[in-house]
């Protein structure tokens, strides 16, 4: 199990984000919601990135440059090479009857590929600014809300929600849509179960998000870092996971 | 001989990675189950990574019942790392492992809670020695005022080899908030920053004890591995590098062979200890006599003295 | 407040560099003259530099007669770093400095030769305290099993502040010959690799003692300095960075002011200890009460408690 | 005292060496035999380099790529910038009556500038291979010997020798030409007396080569790293220095 060295095909700005396109090589795109570990040049550890787009022969990632690793990824240029491992973790179940994609900020990253695989279901996307909202152009059938309006303000009942976004959003969504599939985040060093770094507390026990997530549809007693206990839908594996608090 | 560093690989979730090692070392097992520390547990810095996993493990009962049998099924010999808070706990853990097919036991002595690490090492290793006939490796922290003295104490108490080094304490702040990035504030620093520290520890402990040493700390390439061997290691373990490159075992093994050949060594282990030899060809300084038992038990797991 | 790290600047050969500091710290002075170690004494690694200077210094007699008067003439306050092998030697060195205009004394406690660093620190600091009324800073190695305990012991014995951290042991091999690059084999590792180690040390010792701390270890930029202050330092010292950038004091001072402003702090010291405060604004954990004498003497050299 | 940031004008191969030319900025070239500290990109410490050439507005350095620092210097490209501190240390005295430059390998580095300042005196240069000997083209009036012939085999008496080269060569030269000025080397971290890293043993005492050297014309009891004691000419400051053993 070695990372593949993929070459950069393109890296274009999408609002404040960058759409990094890599030649796919022998890697499979996997299921939407699965992720890949990308090693930014000059950094010790790889960074988890959801697959955003899977055009023929390519893998596309939407990167939010928030720290040294993501900034190094957004600085890659065509012809550069990057080590990529994946697909990893558990993606979304693709069997919902009335799918609705609900996401916020860089949480929309997995939606273009997810939307394609689900036949372009409706999507409800929240962003901080109009600039950030440029990413919505990657998602077909999207309705966009901007802060101070929140996706939860606009969420209609009766859908099978597939959500990805900052923790407070996921928490709020899980209250309104108890059957939702949620894609969580946690800092990850390895992405394949080796380091126990991505452990989050679920039902008073620690579970590795990279092994049991990142997509969870759960109804369990989940405790976030801030200590807020809430009840979310029971997941296939019977557990729920919380990503670390703080949010970005 | 290439091993993984304890806590840096779960052979059950990544069996194909584990099978590339000559032996597989478990995450440290404690008497009782431990959930580990609250998140965030990892952070990257410019010179290494910090972790505060907190020895998350299922505890010895579940380990013996559920985990070890599956690990043994994978193929490579299994070294079990054990940890506790008192000598009696280590002894008990070793006694429980005695009847298993574990190939060796690594005593994680890296978090001593007392002011006299020599005494602590002596007590723990002696208790463990009394409890098991398996090869015993004492894993030490490099952050000791007199590391070779602790290594000697472990050797005298019956350790068959050493595992060097464990992480050292470090802390990183979030640049924006200036708050610690790890939930526990400080954590263990591993990776590149440890490289010179590990070389110094292996060098001085080889000289002091002559015991076989599993060297680790920031190894990323065959050249790094060869340097640890030159300093005195008989085997090399890979930790942090596995997170970026799970295929590192095969790569480092190949690079290591090439680096050794390039310098005229028949095989990598022929370079063991050359850092202690004068450049004019004079042999290394006095080699400490290693006890017959230690010699024999180390050979069992393929480590030459 | 920005100082140089002991041993990283000779104010007499580079007075214009020394004058950029708020205070100048001397290389450690010992009772007798020391030539230092045989070459090679320095080596660069990928994560820091190694040195085995070996406390080269003219000895206290020559220092008092020839060196100190010229240092005092330069302008900035002079802190004298002293080192010895026994408490009585430290006491004697402090007594000899008592009648000089040295602003403060740094006790280099970083090479303890005994197994119980707490006892050693207590003995040395107590002896020094009895010998001088000058502000006394205990400089500690981070490579101790229980650093805060040693810091507390130093505080209890009368230290007015701490200097954290000294180097940790490292070794580098020549890639071609696989022989140690330094004449002494191992040496002290400084620079980037120390950054997380220094942050952890300052963080834990601030919490344990509340004493003013001169933080150092791999500081290259104002952001690094601000992190040490957030962890608990009242002053920051520059070491290895001076070799690449002798003008670092002025640069870091300016960057530090900018970094603090950018995060909403009126001045850099307003950020002192914020790493200990909860993000929701709750104040940092229990602040240890600092003795009046220590408070007063630290204030003398411009360090707030 | 801050290093100046100089931009690279050119960096051309001269045999196995590289001639690195920097825009001089406000820096003085100093006296031949003095050195500058150049900080290779990506390295922690600067590296000492003798000034090789001082064309108008430029500083030229001849770099032997033997390790990470010198390799990074030889990889610099026009337009790149590099931090430079200097001139530092003590150069050659320029008052000899019958100057002869004697050098070996990368030891020829200070000679082009030295030769210019002395009016192109004769030079005797030794190299390992013909490829290395290409550097001789930078030194006017040069006679070249290749190994196994050594410069000391070809050294005629009656000259005021100014020498630079590997330690065994300098040692041999000082035996044949007791009045020689010798430019020694030692690993240096700072170059301005701060670190005590460059100390070498002289007359049983340690002296900093960056402060008291690198050029010494000495007659003193000098002990090299290998422990060989030899007598060399007394220098103006009454001391002699040895650079570290090993040699390259
Ligand atoms: C399964 C998964 C999929 C992801 N997919 C994407 C994606 O498609 N596009 C994208 O831009 N990002 C994605 N992320 C987040 C991305 O991995 C992190 O932003 C990145 O690792 C940060 O690295 P850095 O070096 O840039 O910043 P760092 O310096 O590591 O972090 C900057 C700040 O963000 C915090 N932080 C870092 N990692 C995380 C995290 N995982 N969760 C919450 N806070 C964090 C840090 O504590 C710090 O305060 C994903 C994360 C996971 C776990
Ligand atoms: C005053 C002075 C002037 C110099 N002028 C020049 C010059 O004009 N051109 C040039 O190419 N080089 C010159 N050098 C030598 C040059 O500074 C070193 O080769 C360089 O620092 C090596 O750095 P590195 O990272 O490439 O190799 P390193 O990894 O530092 O060293 C590679 C090998 O060389 C050895 N080594 C390193 N530095 C020295 C040294 N100073 N003396 C002996 N052995 C050493 C190391 O121990 C190691 O074995 C000069 C040195 C001094 C002191
Ligand atoms: C995430 C992580 C978990 C670790 N867990 C353990 C452990 O359980 N027991 C142990 O003895 N060492 C543990 N270590 C230390 C490693 O075994 C190793 O000693 C150290 O990381 C240095 O090697 P490296 O620089 O190659 O990572 C851990 C290290 C990391 C990074
Ligand atoms: C060349 C060198 C010499 C040093 N000499 C001394 C010394 O004499 N006394 C002392 O207390 N610390 C000494 N130190 C340690 C520094 O004062 C400082 O604690 C350490 O280098 C960490 O800071 P830095 O990473 O900024 O260099 C020395 C460090 C170096 C690099
Ligand atoms: S990221 Fe390493 S275990 Fe999940
Ligand atoms: S190189 Fe630092 S003192 Fe000479």
């Amino acid at each position: 199990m070695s990372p593949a060295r993929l070459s950069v095909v393109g890296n274009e700005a999408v609002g404040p984000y960058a759409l990094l396109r890599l030649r796919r090589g022998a890697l499979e795109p996997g299921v939407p919601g699965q992720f890949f570990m990308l090693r930014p040049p000059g950094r010790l550890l790889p960074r988890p990135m959801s697959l955003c787009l899977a055009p023929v022969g390519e893998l596309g990632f939407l990167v939010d440059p928030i720290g040294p690793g993501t900034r190094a990824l957004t600085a890659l240029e065509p012809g550069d090479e990057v080590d990529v491992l994946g697909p990893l973790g558990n993606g979304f179940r693709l069997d919902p009857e009335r799918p609705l994609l609900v996401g916020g900020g860089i949480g929309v990253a997995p939606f273009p590929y997810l939307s394609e695989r689900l036949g372009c279901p409706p999507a409800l996307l929240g962003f901080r600014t109009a600039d950030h909202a440029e990413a919505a152009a990657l998602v077909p059938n999207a309705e966009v809300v901007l802060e101070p309006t929140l996706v939860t303000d606009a969420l209609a009942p009766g859908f099978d929600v597939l959500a990805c976004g900052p923790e407070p959003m996921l928490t709020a969504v899980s209250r309104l849509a108890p059957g939702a599939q949620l894609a969580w985040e946690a800092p990850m060093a390895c992405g394949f179960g080796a380091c126990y770094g991505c452990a989050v507390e679920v039902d008073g026990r620690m579970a590795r998000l990279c092994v049991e997530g990142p997509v969870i549809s759960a109804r369990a007693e989940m405790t976030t870092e801030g200590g807020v206990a809430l009840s979310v839908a029971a997941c296939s594996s019977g557990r729920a996971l919380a990503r670390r608090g703080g949010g970005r | 001989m290439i091993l993984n560093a304890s806590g840096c690989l779960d052979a059950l979730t990544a069996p194909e990675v584990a099978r590339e090692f000559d032996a597989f070392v478990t995450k440290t097992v404690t008497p009782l189950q431990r959930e580990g520390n609250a998140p965030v547990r990892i952070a990257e810095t410019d010179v290494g990574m910090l972790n505060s996993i907190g020895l998350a493990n299922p505890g010895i009962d579940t380990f013996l019942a559920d985990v070890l049998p599956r690990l043994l099924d994978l193929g490579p010999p299994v070294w079990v790392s054990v940890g506790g808070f008192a000598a009696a706990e280590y002894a008990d853990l070793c006694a429980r492992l005695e009847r298993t097919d574990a190939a060796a036991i690594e005593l994680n002595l890296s978090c001593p809670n007392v002011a006299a690490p020599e005494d602590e090492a002596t007590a723990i290793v002696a208790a463990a020695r009394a409890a098991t006939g398996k090869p015993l490796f004492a894993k030490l922290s490099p952050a000791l005022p007199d590391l070779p003295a602790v290594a000697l104490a472990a050797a005298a108490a019956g350790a068959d080899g050493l595992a060097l080094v464990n992480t050292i304490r470090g802390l990183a702040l979030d640049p924006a908030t200036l708050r610690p990035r790890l939930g526990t504030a400080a954590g263990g620093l591993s990776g590149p920053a440890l490289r010179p520290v590990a070389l110094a520890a292996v060098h001085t402990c080889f000289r002091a004890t002559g015991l076989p040493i599993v060297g680790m700390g920031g190894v990323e390439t065959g050249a790094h591995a060869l340097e640890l061997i030159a300093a005195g290691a008989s085997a090399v373990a890979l930790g942090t590098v596995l997170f970026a490159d799970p295929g590192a075992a095969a790569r480092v093994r190949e690079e290591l062979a090439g680096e050794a050949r390039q310098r005229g060594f028949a095989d990598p282990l022929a370079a063991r200890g050359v850092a202690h030899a004068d450049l004019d060809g004079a042999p290394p300084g006095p080699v400490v006599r290693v006890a017959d038992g230690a010699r024999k038990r180390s050979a069992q797991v393929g480590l030459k003295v």
Side-chain angles (χ1 to χ4, degrees), chain A residues 61-72:
Chain A
F61 299 93
L62 192 67
V63 183
D64 187 6
I66 59 152
T70 46
R71 278 197 297 267

Side-chain angles (χ1 to χ4, degrees), chain A residues 89-167:
Chain A
N90 302 307
F92 291 99
R93 274 183 291 103
L94 301 177
D95 56 7
E97 296 195 353
R98 292 195 60 204
L100 172 69
L101 315 188
V102 178
I106 188 61
V108 307
F111 287 177
Y113 180 42
L114 178 61
S115 178
E116 182 198 316
R117 294 288 300 273
L118 290 177
C120 304
L124 175 59
L125 309 179
F127 293 95
R128 258 185 299 156
T129 69
D131 189 30
H132 289 86
E134 288 204 21
L138 299 169
V139 185
N141 268 331
E143 178 191 339
V144 170
V145 298
L146 290 187
E147 284 185 16
T149 307
L150 302 176
V151 287
T152 41
D153 299 330
L155 192 56
F159 285 101
D160 297 320
V161 171
L162 301 93
C164 184
E167 180 177 323

Side-chain angles (χ1 to χ4, degrees), chain A residues 119-247:
Chain A
C120 304
L124 175 59
L125 309 179
F127 293 95
R128 258 185 299 156
T129 69
D131 189 30
H132 289 86
E134 288 204 21
L138 299 169
V139 185
N141 268 331
E143 178 191 339
V144 170
V145 298
L146 290 187
E147 284 185 16
T149 307
L150 302 176
V151 287
T152 41
D153 299 330
L155 192 56
F159 285 101
D160 297 320
V161 171
L162 301 93
C164 184
E167 180 177 323
M169 192 205 91
L170 293 186
T171 304
V173 164
S174 70
R175 281 212 190 83
L176 296 173
Q181 299 185 57
L182 310 175
W184 298 90
E185 271 192 25
M188 295 183 172
C190 72
F192 61 94
C195 73
Y196 280 76
C198 63
V200 287
E201 199 178 325
V202 184
D203 282 341
R205 131 193 125 78
M206 302 302 283
R208 286 169 292 181
L209 188 67
C210 71
V211 173
E212 307 193 22
V215 178
I216 310 278
S217 46
R219 189 186 299 278
E221 196 64 19
M222 182 178 80
T223 310
T224 66
E225 201 194 348
V228 191
L230 67 161
S231 196
V232 292
C235 75
S236 42
S237 60
R239 305 182 198 96
L241 297 156
R243 87 148 226 210
R244 59 183 295 279

Side-chain angles (χ1 to χ4, degrees), chain B residues 19-78:
Chain B
R19 283 205 194 87
E20 288 184 355
F21 288 96
D22 296 303
F24 175 75
V25 186
T26 69
K27 186 156 183 61
T28 299
V29 182
T30 54
L32 299 178
Q33 184 196 349
R34 288 171 61 92
E35 290 288 1
N37 293 319
V40 174
R41 292 178 171 192
I42 51 158
E44 191 201 65
T45 77
D46 286 342
V47 295
M49 77 172 267
L50 295 172
N51 87 79
S52 59
I53 308 301
L55 296 185
N57 81 94
I60 188 72
D61 291 344
T62 307
F63 177 80
L64 290 176
D66 294 353
V67 183
L68 184 57
R70 288 190 288 153
L71 289 177
L72 291 167
D73 278 350
L74 290 174
V78 177

